[in-house]
Amino acid sequence: MKGFAFGQYYPANSVLHRMDPRAKVICAVAYIVASFLCKNTFSFVLLFVSAFALILISRIPLKVVLRSVRALIFIMAFTAVLNIFWIVDTAEGAVPLVEFWIIKIYTKGLYHAAFILVRILAMVIGTGLFLTYTTTPIALTDALESLLRPLAKIKVPVHAFAMMMTIALRFIPTIMEETEKIMSAQKARGADFTTGSLAKRAKALIPIIIPLFASAFRRADELATAMECRCYHGGEGRTKLRILRYHARDFLGMLWIILFIAAIVTLNILGARFGWLYTM
Amino acid sequence: MENKPFIHVQNLSYAYVGEDDRPIPVLKDLSLDIREGEYVVILGHNGSGKSTFAKLLNLVIDDYTYAEGTILVDGVDVMSPDLTDEEVLDLRKNVGMVFQNPDNQLVATVVEEDVAFGPENLGIPQPELRQRVDQALATVGMSAYAHHEPHRLSGGQKQRVAIAGIIAMKPRCMIFDESTAMLDPVGRREVLETIEKLNREEGITVISITHYMDEAARADRVIVLSDGKLLLDGTPGEVFTHSDTLRKAGLDLPQCTAVAQYLITKDLPVHGEINTPEQCAEAILNAWKKM
């Protein structure tokens, strides 16, 4: 349990790792927008290439990144199949590629399925590389707090949310360790978590969950007292040890994303104008 | 040093609100003074009221229904209902508190950020904030762990980080509420050495609440509470001569003092103040030579 690391943070030394987390949040959002802007084969090819370019830049092994894609394979397959069967080419002279019974598959459907696949793939890889793989959860919390600070003016408790995130992140390993201890203790008393029907196994978890909750509440109480003793009184007038600073690389990163969006829009327009291949 | 005591407690009584709103008395007519720079150990068995006393000093008690008497910390009446928020913050800044469970007082996911938590709350700007954090970590000997995650540290190390978190607020007094109770012997030694260093080198007033007699032996002054009342007050040597009174309060002498007292009943002339194993060994050696 000591070696437990949360999230998917993958330590490496790359530009993406060194970028300011706020810049990365902005880039991730922009990248998602870009993936939705794609309209034709060329822009999708560019999107596809860019996802793999990001993997190269991040210096994270392809194998590691594809692991998170694997988790979504069912959704991806489902949407792709749906597109293949549902899309009907209404253009004049469009002939179905395959036709039997009530099923008609058009070339357009195949293209659409491929587009959707690329879009999902790019979004997963893009957000993963900008955020979870290259940014520690705590840096991400800092970034969100900083980016959402304007919302505090309309009474959104931004600081409180960030504090809750920090405390949650701090206590996840502690509570996991405790769960293991309680499980061992119950096993030593003859508890059996691995055999029997599902209902029986679920019931066996009760003697773990109850002490865990009791202890979590006690911890929360003690922590609150300790925080009060350390003069905690909300976000007002607080300073921060770690101050986020934008560097040249952050502006460059954002510039690249803008150029990327511009390129996609250009390809969309050119595609529409000259009727290149398929358009969504 | 001023003549005025840093902490002045007079006729303090406190009771928790029990079922049917009946008071459950914890502290009874307690009066004592603690001067700035002292190293005081408050000893007492479970339920003697020692932890409640500490909480009263640091204003982390919610219910003052059954509170009587006065507590002045640096001249400020901490039980007064019209304390302003600034006064409360100032008080907590001056009187830092370290608790028993090292896990439940660390807030951040990185050691140095946890140490910064207190001064951040006080609004200390950079670069002073950075200096305070580095200094506090150096004082407790944890500089090498500045970027570690707290949950990977040992109990003693976590507790030292917690201490650094308080030192970074630059308090004048620190209260340790059974801060070594959950630690292994190595962790306890680390923490005790840190506490002593703070008192001797930084001049911080230390109030350590414990039921370990060995810890009491190292202090300048020992206050024994029993059943909410002040039982004994004096240097460790003075207090340990009252072995019967201590036993009645549910406390045992430190092993070495007990050994020495036993040897005296067996007509071995073991004399002098014996509070530590070293003193004990020396006294026995001297007695041996005389025989």
Side-chain angles (χ1 to χ4, degrees):
Chain A
M1 194 53 63
K2 288 253 160 181
F4 173 81
F6 2 70
Q8 302 170 301
Y9 181 68
Y10 190 93
N13 185 17
S14 77
V15 187
L16 278 182
H17 284 81
R18 283 192 303 267
M19 264 173 86
D20 185 290
R22 292 170 299 178
K24 282 192 271 193
V25 171
I26 296 170
C27 286
V29 173
Y31 195 74
I32 292 174
V33 170
S35 73
F36 275 101
L37 285 176
C38 291
K39 274 217 167 77
N40 62 25
T41 315
F42 285 89
S43 45
F44 273 109
V45 167
L46 179 63
L47 186 67
F48 189 72
V49 171
S50 76
F52 285 90
L54 275 177
I55 298 179
L56 282 182
I57 295 169
S58 74
R59 296 193 188 167
I60 292 171
L62 186 66
K63 211 168 59 189
V64 175
V65 181
L66 290 183
R67 223 179 285 152
S68 67
V69 176
R70 210 164 50 198
L72 287 167
I73 227 149
F74 177 72
I75 298 176
M76 286 165 72
F78 184 73
T79 35
V81 169
L82 217 60
N83 270 287
I84 291 175
F85 291 117
W86 251 253
I87 298 286
V88 177
D89 199 341
T90 50
E92 226 174 286
V95 182
L97 217 56
V98 182
E99 192 174 3
F100 66 92
W101 191 38
I102 52 163
I103 292 166
K104 283 181 186 145
I105 295 172
Y106 293 90
T107 325
K108 191 180 175 189
L110 291 179
Y111 270 98
H112 265 237
F115 288 168
I116 295 279
L117 279 184
V118 170
R119 179 176 288 163
I120 297 177
L121 197 72
M123 282 199 300
V124 172
I125 293 177
T127 47
L129 289 180
F130 278 119
L131 303 176
T132 50
Y133 283 118
T134 61
T135 321
T136 57
I138 198 72
L140 209 53
T141 309
D142 278 356
L144 288 175
E145 186 185 3
S146 168
L147 286 171
L148 297 178
R149 194 165 294 148
L151 291 182
K153 286 208 180 78
I154 54 165
K155 305 253 189 250
V156 179
V158 176
H159 166 79
F161 281 129
M163 194 76 225
M164 284 193 282
M165 264 302 278
T166 310
I167 291 173
L169 289 172
R170 153 78 185 86
F171 278 92
I172 286 169
T174 309
I175 287 177
M176 297 215 18
E177 222 166 274
E178 188 156 37
T179 315
E180 267 194 359
K181 254 188 226 164
I182 296 173
M183 277 180 98
S184 310
Q186 304 291 34
K187 270 186 204 153
R189 293 183 176 88
D192 181 6
F193 305 115
T194 48
T195 57
S197 65
L198 193 67
K200 202 181 153 204
R201 268 183 288 171
K203 220 173 154 189
L205 287 178
I206 294 174
I208 296 171
I209 290 167
I210 290 178
L212 198 63
F213 265 77
S215 131
F217 280 116
R218 202 189 55 241
R219 277 183 199 284
D221 197 44
E222 280 181 28
L223 184 70
T225 310
M227 284 170 71
E228 266 198 306
C229 279
R230 290 167 75 183
C231 299
Y232 182 66
H233 55 283
E236 231 169 283
R238 249 182 136 244
T239 48
K240 293 213 108 191
L241 179 68
R242 240 191 349 191
I243 297 170
L244 295 173
R245 273 201 193 83
Y246 286 113
H247 293 91
R249 57 172 173 265
D250 302 314
F251 295 113
L252 269 173
M254 289 189 269
L255 187 69
W256 271 109
I257 286 285
I258 292 170
L259 287 176
F260 177 64
I261 291 179
I264 282 179
V265 171
T266 316
L267 286 174
N268 281 344
I269 295 170
L270 290 176
R273 184 109 172 244
F274 300 107
W276 289 346
L277 289 170
Y278 279 86
T279 315
M280 261 190 129
Chain B
M1 201 186 293
E2 302 166 54
N3 271 338
K4 220 171 55 178
F6 183 62
I7 292 170
H8 174 71
V9 179
Q10 188 133 33
N11 306 113
L12 174 71
S13 295
Y14 184 83
Y16 283 108
V17 181
E19 274 173 51
D20 312 326
D21 290 336
R22 263 187 314 213
I24 304 168
V26 198
L27 294 170
K28 295 165 192 163
D29 200 28
L30 194 67
S31 295
L32 56 93
D33 283 339
I34 291 169
R35 277 175 290 107
E36 190 140 26
E38 264 189 305
Y39 180 3
V40 184
V41 159
I42 298 184
L43 269 179
H45 201 250
N46 288 342
S48 61
K50 55 193 197 304
S51 272
T52 308
F53 178 62
K55 284 185 178 152
L56 280 167
L57 289 181
N58 212 355
L59 289 165
V60 280
I61 281 220
D62 310 315
D63 197 335
Y64 287 95
T65 323
Y66 297 113
E68 278 167 45
T70 16
I71 305 176
L72 298 183
V73 176
D74 199 22
V76 179
D77 181 1
V78 304
M79 295 217 294
S80 149
D82 25 74
L83 275 183
T84 61
D85 287 352
E86 280 79 51
E87 280 174 309
V88 171
L89 280 186
D90 204 44
L91 218 108
R92 289 189 178 142
K93 179 210 154 294
N94 278 325
V95 182
M97 189 136 157
V98 180
F99 296 88
Q100 184 176 21
N101 190 331
D103 261 321
N104 297 352
Q105 42 188 327
L106 301 180
V107 188
T109 47
V110 180
V111 164
E112 65 168 14
E113 277 177 50
D114 187 82
V115 175
F117 183 72
E120 280 177 347
N121 288 333
L122 295 170
I124 307 295
Q126 292 278 25
E128 195 193 336
L129 183 59
R130 168 54 61 186
Q131 277 167 10
R132 281 192 181 201
V133 170
D134 292 347
Q135 241 167 37
L137 280 172
T139 310
V140 299
M142 289 292 290
S143 299
Y145 296 87
H147 298 286
H148 282 229
E149 290 169 29
H151 72 96
R152 288 173 202 262
L153 303 178
S154 74
Q157 288 173 328
K158 281 182 205 165
Q159 205 60 304
R160 273 148 69 201
V161 171
I163 294 173
I166 303 294
I167 303 174
M169 298 198 296
K170 303 219 165 163
R172 289 162 65 187
C173 173
M174 282 177 82
I175 303 174
F176 296 87
D177 189 1
E178 306 240 19
S179 301
T180 60
M182 288 181 71
L183 305 180
D184 57 24
V186 178
R188 268 181 70 194
R189 204 182 54 230
E190 288 170 3
V191 169
L192 284 178
E193 278 165 7
T194 311
I195 295 177
E196 269 163 37
K197 187 176 164 198
L198 289 177
N199 179 256
R200 308 267 135 86
E201 290 171 23
E202 315 275 323
I204 295 174
T205 312
V206 169
I207 302 174
S208 179
I209 290 162
T210 181
H211 56 259
Y212 287 116
M213 296 305 278
D214 305 346
E215 286 180 35
R218 305 166 81 137
D220 298 335
R221 180 177 164 200
V222 179
I223 292 170
V224 183
L225 292 185
S226 173
D227 205 14
K229 281 181 277 203
L230 187 92
L231 196 66
L232 296 166
D233 183 353
T235 63
E238 284 162 13
V239 168
F240 293 156
T241 53
H242 301 277
S243 52
D244 290 337
T245 319
L246 284 173
R247 219 160 278 141
K248 263 180 227 153
L251 296 163
D252 282 321
L253 287 175
Q255 250 171 16
C256 48
T257 315
V259 167
Q261 289 188 0
Y262 173 77
L263 290 176
I264 290 168
T265 64
K266 297 286 166 197
D267 292 326
L268 194 76
V270 187
H271 292 302
E273 189 158 300
I274 296 167
N275 302 325
T276 62
E278 290 76 23
Q279 287 172 337
C280 185
E282 205 179 289
I284 293 175
L285 203 66
N286 287 336
W288 188 262
K289 279 178 195 155
K290 276 181 212 154
M291 274 174 79

